[in-house]
Each structure stands twice: as C-alpha cells, then as structure tokens.
Amino acid sequence: MGVMVKDGDAMEVVATAPAEMGLRAIGDWAARVEGIGFDVIHVSETIHDPFAIAAMALSRTTRVTVRTSMALAFPRSPMIMAYSAWDLAKYSHGRFQLGVASQVRGNIVGRFSSPWSEPVARLRDYIGSLRAIFHSFQTGERLDHAGPFYKFDRLQPYFNPGPIDHPVPQIWTGGVNKKMCILAGEISDGFVCHPTNSHPLVLTTRTLPAIAEGARNAQLDGLMPAVVANPQAMMAASRGALDALREPRRAELAFLYSTPAYRHQLEDFGLGHVGEALHEMARRSEWGDLSKHLTDDVMNRFVPEGTYAEMPEIIEDRYSGLCSGLSLPVSADNAHDLELAEAVERCKAIPTSRNPVAP
C-alpha cells in the first residue's frame, strides 16, 4: 500500500471528465485531454456507470491513466467491482486505477437501497476483499478472505480470469472526515481529496495530518499515499470568460456544502452558519436558492481564479509541497487548448513532497 512520491517528482495533473458526458462523447474528450498533456483522467459516478465511461476513455487513449474517482463501493459486491477493474486493467495494459469510496448514508440508502453501517470499518474490509480477490486472480491461489462484513472463500478456476502482465490495479480512496483520511493512510495506494477538503488550510490542518497518522499506524516507514488535491479552480483565456464560469461554480459548491459531512472547510473559516443555512434549504428541497448563501467573499476565499497564464503561479503558491497531484479544469471548447497545454506543463513543475506534513 502507498505510492512512493519522491521529492522532485513531477506533479501529476488530472482532468475530470464532465459528469454529464456519456459514452458517445467521452472518447473524443479523452483523446483531446491526452493531447493537451494531462497525466490522468478522473471518472466520477453520478449519472453514468463509471466503468463503461472509463472503458471508452481508455479505448481512445494510449498514455494517460484513467482512474475512477470515485466508484461507489457499498452498492456493489467487491467481486463485481474486482471483475470490472481487472478487465479494464488488462485491456489498457495497466493504465486503469480503481478509486472507491463510501459516499454518504442518504445516497447509499435512499438512492441505491443498499445497507449502510460503519462506513470506515466496512470500507476497510471492502478494500481487503478487493486485494484478496486480485491476489487470487493474479496467482491462482485459493481465495480466502474473512472480514467483519465480507467473506470470500470460493473462486473456481472457471470463474477466475487469470493473471495480467503488469501489477494489479492500484486502489485509491477519497473522503472528507478524519477517520476516512486515517484509513487512506493505512491501506490506500492514493487519496483523492474532495473539493471541500482541498483548500491548503484544510489540507495542512486536517487532511494530510490524518493521512500521515494512518501511515504511522500501519508502520509504513514514511511511505505516504499519493494525494491529489481538487482546488476547483476557475481558469480561462480571459477575464470575461472567467466571469461566465463563476455562477455555475457557485451553484456547484453551494450544493456540496449543503451536505453536513462536507462542512469542515466552512467551519475552519468561521462560516459554519453558511453550511447550516444551506443544509436547511436542502432539507426543504429549495435547490434553486442555495447559491445565494455563497457570496463573492466566500468564493474568493475558496476558489483559485485566473487566466491560463496566471494559474500555474496561483496554484504553486497554494499547493507547492502539499500534494503529488492536482486536478485542473478543461474548457468545453478547444479554442484555447494551446494555452491550456502550456499551463498544464508548467503545473507539472510545481514541487511535490513525499512527506508533506511533519510526522
């Protein structure tokens, strides 16, 4: 567990596939992103199956890594998840990485009609199951995993897909609360920060110390998982284009902050009352008015904003030495891809650190 990140390594620059992008569009988009110079494509799970989207992205690329960020664990059996990941890893010659997360209780129970219990302990057992299954796939050895939530002891040769010619897929996690971050430090190859715990203040005071605590618990001798921050930056070719991005981003963040589990960042800035107001509006299904509570002052505190030429320096000032990867936005059109490519290349030179927090 854990991905060794050495001082001086290039910063991993990530593009997140738009949530609404379906099977017909994702291939062209992925090829475009690879051409721009991004290292990784993140595929979320919102309105599409992430594994189908990942397959189409892999089919049109040859270099980039495609990572689910995040596939929901609890509605799926670990065996079902393992087969999907194994197929994509084999198909892509090792360019697929599996990101899994718990989501929140309301979605797991109300949207997926799946059981919810002890999310941190259950995700630990889930990932242990995945690693045991991957080991049996790769070696042919008997499957034998017995945990508090999952038990696997049967995998006849007829159902074993057999080994792949490269390392088994990395398993990444994501999350917000302290216990989930500690878990990542103990068992994950990498960790993707949620937008609400990607601010440098939250990273340095909450997220990274908790991950480091997990790594110490697991006695990993300083080996930290790779950490990808998601600053939710607004980036465009001109100031006028930036203005057009502000309201959609405001609405997106207001929705996120309406979830109590994602409120820490607001609280750290003395804005807990904003989170409470957003939660009450969400409880009453007043979705259209949420963004009124995120004033320009709040947006300016949380969202890096700049042109393609300005953004690498803005991002470096905030994230140098704090993470090993950064998610950057991709515009809907390709009119300014050359400027974006230059910004991506400059961001790769931002210093990383294998020990971003003191032990």
Side-chain angles (χ1 to χ4, degrees), residues 74 102-106 108-109 114-119 122 180:
F74 301 155
S102 62
Q103 248 286 354
V104 295
R105 184 185 187 279
I108 297 302
V109 174
S114 295
W116 175 269
S117 61
E118 303 174 66
R122 190 174 174 195
M180 201 62 80

Side-chain angles (χ1 to χ4, degrees), residues 83-136:
Y83 280 128
S84 297
W86 204 253
D87 281 343
L88 291 173
K90 184 173 183 177
Y91 171 73
S92 64
H93 303 288
R95 290 190 294 119
F96 176 77
Q97 294 175 355
L98 178 62
V100 296
S102 62
Q103 248 286 354
V104 295
R105 184 185 187 279
N107 275 321
I108 297 302
V109 174
R111 188 156 62 97
F112 290 97
S113 189
S114 295
W116 175 269
S117 61
E118 303 174 66
V120 176
R122 190 174 174 195
L123 190 63
R124 179 190 300 277
D125 193 21
Y126 196 102
I127 292 173
S129 301
L130 287 171
R131 294 197 188 280
I133 294 167
F134 286 166
H135 181 77
S136 292

Side-chain angles (χ1 to χ4, degrees), residues 52-327:
I53 298 296
M56 294 299 290
L58 289 165
S59 74
R60 293 289 307 279
T61 55
T62 60
R63 177 187 57 80
V64 297
T65 296
V66 175
R67 178 187 301 141
T68 53
S69 178
M70 293 281 161
L72 303 187
F74 301 155
R76 296 181 176 90
S77 159
M79 183 65 74
I80 298 295
M81 183 86 79
Y83 280 128
S84 297
W86 204 253
D87 281 343
L88 291 173
K90 184 173 183 177
Y91 171 73
S92 64
H93 303 288
R95 290 190 294 119
F96 176 77
Q97 294 175 355
L98 178 62
V100 296
S102 62
Q103 248 286 354
V104 295
R105 184 185 187 279
N107 275 321
I108 297 302
V109 174
R111 188 156 62 97
F112 290 97
S113 189
S114 295
W116 175 269
S117 61
E118 303 174 66
V120 176
R122 190 174 174 195
L123 190 63
R124 179 190 300 277
D125 193 21
Y126 196 102
I127 292 173
S129 301
L130 287 171
R131 294 197 188 280
I133 294 167
F134 286 166
H135 181 77
S136 292
F137 284 176
Q138 189 73 339
T139 66
E141 295 178 10
R142 179 176 178 270
L143 176 59
D144 185 16
H145 174 84
F149 300 91
Y150 301 97
K151 179 179 180 179
F152 293 93
D153 59 9
R154 185 175 179 84
L155 185 65
Q156 307 95 311
Y158 186 80
F159 297 112
N160 190 328
I164 50 181
D165 296 330
H166 40 76
V168 302
Q170 290 183 10
I171 299 176
W172 287 55
T173 59
V176 174
N177 68 51
K178 180 177 180 179
K179 290 182 179 179
M180 201 62 80
C181 294
I182 291 173
L183 178 69
E186 293 174 345
I187 68 172
S188 300
D189 293 307
F191 183 82
V192 179
C193 297
H194 192 270
T196 60
N197 68 341
S198 287
H199 190 281
L201 174 65
V202 183
L203 272 174
T204 54
T205 61
R206 292 182 182 268
T207 309
L208 294 174
I211 294 173
E213 180 179 337
R216 291 194 299 272
N217 292 346
Q219 298 181 331
L220 296 180
D221 297 324
L223 181 62
M224 285 272 288
V227 176
V228 172
N230 187 0
Q232 290 288 288
M234 293 190 300
M235 183 168 62
S238 66
R239 286 289 161 184
L242 281 169
D243 290 341
L245 298 175
R246 198 169 183 83
E247 293 313 309
R249 182 57 48 80
R250 191 194 309 270
E252 180 182 9
L253 288 178
F255 173 74
L256 290 175
Y257 287 130
S258 71
T259 301
Y262 301 155
R263 199 182 295 168
H264 286 317
Q265 183 164 300
L266 290 172
E267 293 170 347
D268 286 347
F269 282 84
L271 297 169
H273 62 284
V274 175
E276 293 170 5
L278 291 170
H279 175 61
E280 282 302 309
M281 294 181 72
R283 189 177 59 81
R284 298 191 299 267
S285 297
E286 297 175 3
W287 306 110
D289 294 329
L290 287 176
S291 60
K292 294 178 181 178
H293 286 278
L294 286 191
T295 64
D296 284 344
D297 177 63
V298 174
M299 291 287 289
N300 291 338
R301 292 194 198 190
F302 294 159
V303 181
E305 178 180 331
T307 64
Y308 293 124
E310 296 166 342
M311 187 54 68
E313 184 175 350
I314 293 170
I315 291 289
E316 181 169 6
D317 286 344
R318 292 188 178 217
Y319 290 98
S320 177
L322 290 183
C323 53
S324 54
L326 287 163
S327 178

